[in-house]
Amino acid sequence: MFGPRCIHLILRRCSSAPCPKRAVTPKLLRVQEALEVPNPTGDDIKVQGWVRSVRSQKDVLFVHINDGSSLENLQVVAVPRLEPRELTFGSSVEVQGKLVKSPHKRQRVELEAENIRVVGPCDVLTFPLKYKTCQSLEYLRQFPHIRCRSNSLSALLRIRSEATSAVHAFFKENGFMHIHTPIITSNDCEGAGELFQVEPASKERVPGENPHFFNVPAFLTVSGQLHLEVMAGAFTKVYTFGPTFRADNSQSRRHLAEFYMVEAEISFAESLQDIMQVMEDLFKKVTNVVLSKCPRDVELFHKYVAPGQEAKLEQMLKNPFITMSYTEAIDVLKRARQVFTYKPEWGQDLQSEHERYLVQHCGEIPVFVFNYPYNLKPFYMRDNEDGASHTVAAVDLLVPGVGELCGGSLREDRVDFLQSRLQKLGLEHTYQWYLELRQFGSTPHGGFGMGFERYLRCILGVENIKDVIPFPRFPHSCIL
Ligand code: 4AD
Ligand code: MG
């Protein structure tokens, strides 16, 4: 070991006479990190990524590299002799060189290559993405294994990732605890029968043994709500954010068989207002984070995919959301000049054409519709006991371009009300544990669920829900 004196000498000697050069290993940077170096002065770096363009001129070679860390590519400049034979659009590469200020207006920095190595070649003739071609979201949907390398899908997936972190941050900042609710469950929370049943693929029957793997029929969850209600009875404010499954046979632009749902449950919540406030705050807070963290990615959608969406979103963010009872909503629809395919009638569900009209009627500002007919909604919603026009304390948030984004309610916390409703549905035995929650320190409580893909569609203006999830699952399609 060198003592402090020795080190001092070595340093002195080094400062008077040139030190023998040590080989410096170039630092591996992500493209985004390289683009953000404030004042590049020729540091040796290395980047790895995929080639977005190759332009070979007589005495200079330009290569653009992207590694998914940003929408912007890093420009590599090199002398033509460094061009490997297999360097093409789509190939994966590792480039080592000096990061310098760029003389070109279009970028601040560039990488002067000293070595370009093709890690994996790409057959451009059969590669589904084409150089300098803007391919539609619909075209890209055919290639779920490749489309994440396109500008639009990679921007979308970065936004999705930031929005996910922002959802978690929102709940943490507001005193909610995160719960992993189960994916396999024995209940049908929504009672709509849109369940996927879970059984082992290989059905080896043991005589005398229960035929069900779990002894009871088990399903992929349609909602984590009932499990969250259990947890809200101990932790007061809880949330979950995970995959949710519905076997509804819909090919619509707003339904998936597997989607992500953000769900929150709040004990001691006495009014729907408490629930609506959380929904509105969640929407606005998460969106503001996304706008500030991914401005370029969002711009791609607002400029090229859904022109006009930026102004629409601003309108949603700057105005307080509107509230309207279901009964008022039906009145508005009945007075409308528009002819609907489904005639609006008190007691009937709102169709997407009705939802669209209501949002338009509210000046394209999100609108909470509350107090729905008792007979339309699941067993767990709190009875408003309001006589002839019998309603429950339910609330849906309708948003421009999408329709229903969130569904929530106050929960029936009174044991006698719940018991008689379950009895009528023949579910008393199944939900014995749920009834018990109302016997052991019950509290008024409520919560909601927000469809995460519908949220992304709403802020970005993307028309089809299949384009805002990495691997869409819907009837007759489960690619990969
Ligand atoms: O309105 P839903 O069915 O509400 C519930 O499941 C409640 N148990 C949630 C709760 O209170 N904890 O679903 C909530 C949201 C809908 O508003 C919609 O945005 C989304 O989930 N959603 C779907 N998104 C994509 N594909 C589908 N098939 C969807 N079904 C519902
Ligand atoms: Mg709903």
Side-chain angles (χ1 to χ4, degrees):
M1 285 286 276
F2 294 123
R5 240 176 96 82
C6 243
I7 288 176
H8 180 69
L9 273 178
I10 294 168
L11 287 175
R12 243 187 17 170
R13 238 184 258 153
C14 279
S15 56
S16 52
C19 269
K21 270 206 173 163
R22 263 191 310 128
V24 194
T25 343
K27 192 171 175 201
L28 178 64
L29 291 188
R30 298 298 305 266
V31 164
Q32 190 194 19
E33 291 171 325
L35 292 171
E36 283 175 356
V37 170
N39 198 12
T41 51
D43 285 349
D44 278 309
I45 69 152
K46 188 163 75 174
V47 290
Q48 298 164 331
W50 291 266
V51 172
R52 285 298 177 86
S53 76
V54 186
R55 216 156 26 98
S56 190
Q57 294 177 352
K58 199 166 133 242
D59 41 31
V60 60
L61 167 73
F62 293 105
V63 187
H64 283 123
I65 293 182
N66 193 289
D67 65 354
S69 58
S70 76
L71 188 60
E72 210 179 325
N73 304 319
L74 177 66
Q75 171 160 283
V76 172
V77 246
V79 288
R81 73 174 161 77
L82 287 185
E83 181 173 357
R85 203 167 36 85
E86 291 178 309
L87 186 76
T88 62
F89 173 67
S91 55
S92 55
V93 289
E94 183 172 273
V95 182
Q96 186 211 314
K98 292 194 184 314
L99 192 69
V100 297
K101 265 192 191 149
S102 173
H104 302 279
K105 276 201 215 103
R106 288 177 63 182
Q107 66 268 323
R108 228 176 32 80
V109 302
E110 61 188 25
L111 181 58
E112 280 178 3
E114 284 160 3
N115 185 32
I116 303 177
R117 182 168 74 87
V118 171
V119 178
C122 174
D123 176 4
V124 282
L125 289 179
T126 52
F127 189 42
L129 305 184
K130 299 293 169 217
Y131 176 49
K132 274 197 167 173
T133 311
C134 181
Q135 283 147 329
S136 72
L137 291 173
E138 204 174 359
Y139 169 82
L140 293 170
R141 219 177 288 146
Q142 302 170 78
F143 311 102
H145 57 310
I146 302 287
R147 68 174 183 167
C148 51
R149 286 205 233 156
S150 67
N151 275 346
S152 45
L153 256 292
S154 72
L156 183 281
L157 293 169
R158 275 187 298 274
I159 293 168
R160 191 177 160 113
S161 169
E162 282 299 342
T164 302
S165 306
V167 165
H168 287 293
F170 170 85
F171 283 115
K172 195 165 175 64
E173 281 158 21
N174 287 283
F176 284 75
M177 193 164 108
H178 181 215
I179 303 287
H180 287 122
T181 48
I183 288 183
I184 299 177
T185 171
S186 53
N187 74 64
D188 174 8
C189 172
E190 294 304 292
E194 298 165 338
L195 298 165
F196 288 106
Q197 190 155 349
V198 180
E199 288 295 340
S202 66
K203 289 212 168 147
E204 209 179 288
R205 287 269 157 86
V206 181
E209 223 180 48
N210 191 306
H212 293 299
F213 185 87
F214 298 105
N215 278 16
V216 289
F219 313 98
L220 296 179
T221 184
V222 293
S223 165
Q225 178 196 320
L226 303 186
H227 303 98
L228 278 189
E229 284 190 60
V230 170
M231 295 298 170
F235 302 105
T236 316
K237 299 210 282 184
V238 290
Y239 78 101
T240 191
F241 182 5
T244 312
F245 309 86
R246 300 213 179 161
D248 79 48
N249 198 3
S250 167
Q251 286 280 3
S252 88
R253 290 179 302 179
R254 53 188 216 153
H255 290 92
L256 287 167
E258 176 184 87
F259 63 99
Y260 276 69
M261 205 194 315
V262 180
E263 294 183 87
E265 198 65 31
I266 306 159
S267 282
F268 304 102
E270 304 246 8
S271 77
L272 274 183
Q273 187 54 44
D274 299 341
I275 312 297
M276 294 193 257
Q277 193 61 54
V278 181
M279 291 188 203
E280 182 166 348
D281 291 349
L282 171 71
F283 181 93
K284 290 184 172 173
K285 187 70 201 288
V286 171
T287 307
N288 280 322
V289 172
V290 167
L291 292 177
S292 74
K293 295 237 170 164
C294 324
R296 297 286 313 274
D297 291 323
V298 173
E299 189 191 16
L300 180 145
F301 284 91
H302 288 181
K303 236 180 169 169
Y304 303 107
V305 178
Q309 185 63 22
E310 189 181 359
K312 283 189 197 159
L313 186 59
E314 217 180 289
Q315 178 85 344
M316 294 186 231
L317 291 175
K318 78 173 185 214
N319 289 294
F321 291 0
I322 291 168
T323 51
M324 178 190 281
S325 73
Y326 167 87
T327 304
E328 285 165 38
I330 293 292
D331 284 346
V332 168
L333 293 169
K334 280 191 162 166
R335 285 199 308 269
R337 290 230 185 107
Q338 186 172 323
V339 180
F340 297 110
T341 315
Y342 294 90
K343 196 162 165 258
E345 232 17 282
W346 203 98
Q348 299 295 313
D349 228 341
L350 297 179
Q351 303 295 322
S352 55
E353 56 176 349
H354 303 144
E355 294 175 349
R356 257 195 317 276
Y357 183 87
L358 290 170
V359 173
Q360 246 173 39
H361 174 82
C362 294
E364 300 292 335
I365 294 166
V367 50
F368 290 111
V369 178
F370 61 94
N371 288 354
Y372 280 74
Y374 179 91
N375 288 332
L376 276 186
K377 292 292 186 182
F379 69 90
Y380 55 72
M381 294 193 176
R382 196 173 201 276
D383 190 341
N384 281 330
E385 297 177 87
D386 45 1
S389 58
H390 195 178
T391 65
V392 284
V395 59
D396 278 1
L397 175 61
L398 313 182
V399 295
V402 168
E404 181 192 333
L405 171 67
C406 301
S409 71
L410 291 182
R411 318 307 189 191
E412 187 54 83
D413 55 304
R414 299 160 296 185
V415 71
D416 45 341
F417 276 75
L418 188 59
Q419 195 154 23
S420 76
R421 191 148 198 201
L422 287 172
Q423 244 164 19
K424 275 183 212 148
L425 296 166
L427 291 172
E428 208 188 355
H429 175 68
T430 317
Y431 287 107
Q432 195 52 42
W433 64 271
Y434 191 67
L435 272 168
E436 282 184 15
L437 294 179
R438 275 70 181 160
Q439 290 165 331
F440 306 141
S442 181
T443 66
H445 64 288
F448 70 92
M450 176 178 88
F452 190 55
E453 286 73 26
R454 291 196 188 174
Y455 165 75
L456 293 170
R457 276 189 62 207
C458 170
I459 63 163
L460 300 175
V462 173
E463 287 218 335
N464 198 317
I465 198 163
K466 300 176 185 82
D467 299 325
V468 292
I469 188 162
F471 301 101
R473 272 83 179 87
F474 50 96
H476 313 295
S477 176
C478 184
I479 311 179
L480 267 67

